[in-house]
Amino acid sequence: MINLAEKQNTRLGGGDGRQNARLIKILLENSSEGVLLLDRRGVIRRVNDACALMTGYTARELKNRHIRRFWKNEGVGDQLTTIGDALWFRGYWIGHIQLPVKRGGVLPFALRVMAVLPERGPVRTIVAQLGRIEGSSPVPRPVPMSMSGSMVESFSELAVKSEQSDSTWDPLTGLPNLPLFQDRLRQALSQAVRRQHAVGLIFMDLDNFALINDSLGRERGDEALREVARRLARCLRTSDSVARIGSDEFALLLIDIDDVDAAVRNVSVVARKLHEILDEPIIMGGTELRISAAMGITLSPQDGHEAPQLLKNAATALSHARRKGRNNYQFFSQEMTETAKRRFAMETSLRHAIERDELVLYYQPQVDLHSGQVVGAEALVRWKHPERGLVSPLEFIPVAEETGLILPIGEWVLRTACRQLAAWGRMGLPMIRVGVNLSALQFQKQDL
């Protein structure tokens, strides 16, 4: 039995091709586990007899079919996303999954999936191993074989963007996509260790790019993205790489950027150059566009040696840059990670605070200096934490704004203030004006 967790760095290539093919055939025929070999698009290329016996499907029924034809019971789509993320960042995934069997139900299987790395180029082969869980019997729930809608978009984001295309290049900009970029990053890190050079990774997010699509249309937005891609490519050396990794997000890989001490300075120069070249106006149909971007930067070996860690670091630095405002770049630091953890903990606690009625309103009175009468008040929200006591709004309001929790909080404040006014009226107190602070996000909702 092949242990995928231990063999995650298995590589293809080298040796006699016929001998390799014969060895693979022997392994498949003699394995007690179900084995599927898939291409990187998620199309099944080979299966063994054990797999056919477990699922009830013959090898002919499975071969050359996309895996999503068979993996479409409820909930498996989310699990495929998890598997895809694991393949991207670790190269393998191990766990349990409910799969349909031909006789009309689903069975739990132990599943191990591995992306087999070639000597060069992108991943071409994915190995999946199925193991029966003792004592399991089919769940009597029919699984129709016809696709309705898009039950599962793809086997994994690593494997394919669409079933029809096996390109590792972004069709809009002609740049590499994320899987190819990750493969180049892994290769660059391996070479950097041998040469004792630093590697720089930049994640870039264009500022407010959605406004271009909304105001000028999708076609002009695509044209602007292509121009951005051309400019980024011109900024880099031929040894460096740039990829499009999202609708308006790009990643840049800088290799051999001198020794560790000079890396920060050299990458800073590149970041400023990128800002300058993006700031040059783009003329479209008489309209002048100026594009800016936020950038998150991480370095190896300072911030880590492994591709998954660096990708995570760059995303953290980019998030920090976005919070700092438009058109800036931020280097990753461990403090950012701690800040992100604190913000996540704050968000989680704040969600619980809303559910558990931990928010309270204080009313700051407005007094007429001549008569001494209270003529108004301002409603101020406070968070009465069960352990920390009163939490300052300066601490939790920015998190609420960023996460959208300000919307339920704002509605609660408005309703609570109205109820308090009614209560004061029933007590015979004179009616006063109460001011309630509103978030800009509330004005974007049509039910305010």
Side-chain angles (χ1 to χ4, degrees):
M1 183 181 69
I2 302 172
N3 189 324
L4 297 184
E6 295 176 358
K7 297 295 183 182
Q8 57 181 301
N9 292 320
T10 300
R11 295 185 176 271
L12 295 180
D16 184 83
R18 286 172 297 181
Q19 183 178 353
N20 286 343
R22 182 170 177 269
L23 178 60
I24 290 174
K25 183 179 179 181
I26 292 172
L27 288 172
L28 289 175
E29 291 177 351
N30 291 276
S31 174
S32 61
E33 293 186 322
V35 180
L36 301 93
L37 299 183
L38 304 96
D39 65 20
R40 62 189 190 82
R41 296 183 300 143
V43 176
I44 302 170
R45 295 308 183 189
R46 294 188 67 173
V47 297
N48 67 350
D49 292 339
C51 180
L53 184 63
M54 289 178 185
T55 63
Y57 295 107
T58 66
R60 178 173 293 182
E61 288 174 311
L62 292 171
K63 193 174 178 181
N64 296 324
R65 299 291 187 90
H66 198 280
I67 195 70
R68 70 182 183 183
R69 292 284 304 274
F70 305 95
W71 288 15
K72 54 184 187 297
N73 47 302
E74 184 179 355
V76 78
D78 293 338
Q79 198 162 11
L80 287 177
T81 300
T82 301
I83 294 172
D85 290 342
L87 286 174
W88 277 8
F89 294 117
R90 294 198 305 270
Y92 70 98
W93 183 88
I94 300 175
H96 294 85
I97 193 167
Q98 299 277 344
L99 295 182
V101 292
K102 189 176 181 179
R103 54 184 178 270
V106 293
L107 277 176
F109 289 92
L111 174 65
R112 290 176 288 182
V113 187
M114 178 183 70
V116 183
L117 302 179
E119 287 295 337
R120 59 179 59 190
V123 168
R124 300 183 186 278
T125 305
I126 296 170
V127 180
Q129 288 178 275
L130 290 175
R132 282 288 301 272
I133 297 176
E134 294 300 327
S136 60
S137 57
V139 179
R141 182 165 60 84
V143 182
M145 289 308 300
S146 60
M147 287 295 292
S148 58
S150 178
M151 296 291 288
V152 181
E153 182 61 31
S154 62
F155 172 70
S156 70
E157 295 185 36
L158 170 65
V160 64
K161 292 295 181 183
S162 69
E163 188 172 358
Q164 294 75 27
S165 173
D166 63 351
S167 176
T168 53
W169 303 85
D170 173 52
L172 177 64
T173 63
L175 296 177
N177 59 19
L178 183 55
L180 178 55
F181 181 82
Q182 289 176 308
D183 187 64
R184 291 182 175 180
L185 173 60
R186 286 190 290 267
Q187 294 179 16
L189 292 172
S190 177
Q191 295 172 4
V193 172
R194 294 194 298 267
R195 299 177 184 176
Q196 295 187 334
H197 281 183
V199 171
L201 177 61
I202 303 176
F203 274 9
M204 172 187 293
D205 182 24
L206 303 183
D207 293 325
N208 298 327
F209 192 81
L211 293 177
I212 295 178
N213 286 330
D214 294 341
S215 58
L216 301 180
R218 178 72 63 177
E219 185 176 343
R220 290 289 173 84
D222 288 348
E223 186 180 342
L225 285 173
R226 284 191 288 267
E227 177 59 23
V228 168
R230 286 191 288 268
R231 293 185 180 188
L232 295 179
R234 289 201 307 268
C235 261
L236 302 179
R237 303 165 299 175
T238 56
S239 58
D240 299 328
S241 297
V242 57
R244 185 184 180 209
I245 61 173
S247 59
D248 56 358
E249 294 183 343
F250 297 85
L252 299 97
L253 175 62
L254 312 177
I255 67 174
D256 292 340
I257 49 175
D258 215 336
D259 56 25
V260 173
D261 295 334
V264 173
R265 180 181 67 251
N266 293 341
V267 175
S268 296
V269 170
V270 173
R272 289 194 293 271
K273 186 178 179 182
L274 292 171
H275 277 308
E276 291 171 1
I277 199 168
L278 288 178
D279 189 54
E280 296 174 6
I282 301 175
I283 308 299
M284 277 188 209
T287 302
E288 181 179 292
L289 296 180
R290 287 187 179 272
I291 294 177
S292 61
M295 288 184 274
I297 304 171
T298 188
L299 298 171
S300 176
Q302 294 96 311
D303 303 329
H305 298 85
E306 301 296 328
Q309 184 62 52
L310 293 174
L311 292 166
K312 181 179 178 181
N313 292 349
T316 300
L318 176 59
S319 178
H320 191 71
R322 288 194 191 108
R323 289 197 296 269
K324 289 287 186 180
R326 297 181 50 175
N327 205 32
N328 80 96
Y329 63 88
Q330 296 291 322
F331 279 88
F332 171 80
S333 67
Q334 194 59 42
E335 183 181 351
M336 289 182 185
T337 302
E338 296 303 319
T339 300
K341 289 180 180 177
R342 288 195 297 270
R343 290 182 72 86
F344 180 77
M346 173 69 73
E347 177 187 350
T348 302
S349 296
L350 190 53
R351 290 183 187 277
H352 292 160
I354 298 172
E355 298 168 357
R356 298 168 182 171
D357 293 327
E358 295 175 5
L359 300 179
V360 294
L361 275 190
Y362 284 70
Y363 297 90
Q364 181 170 298
Q366 297 169 341
V367 179
D368 187 323
L369 295 179
H370 295 290
S371 64
Q373 297 295 315
V374 174
V375 295
E378 180 182 2
L380 302 173
V381 64
R382 295 292 184 267
W383 177 9
K384 196 170 183 180
H385 194 281
E387 297 175 359
R388 299 175 55 189
L390 286 179
V391 180
S392 169
L394 295 176
E395 193 174 347
F396 70 86
I397 290 297
V399 176
E401 291 274 4
E402 183 179 330
T403 59
L405 291 175
I406 196 67
L407 294 174
I409 291 176
E411 181 177 347
W412 177 86
V413 169
L414 193 58
R415 293 184 180 278
T416 302
C418 289
R419 282 196 294 267
Q420 184 61 66
L421 273 173
W424 286 336
R426 290 192 296 269
M427 293 168 61
L429 298 175
M431 294 301 293
I432 61 173
R433 224 176 247 174
V434 173
V436 173
N437 295 314
L438 297 177
S439 164
L441 289 178
Q442 290 175 267
F443 286 98
Q444 296 175 13
K445 300 282 287 183
Q446 296 188 5
D447 60 352
L448 178 59

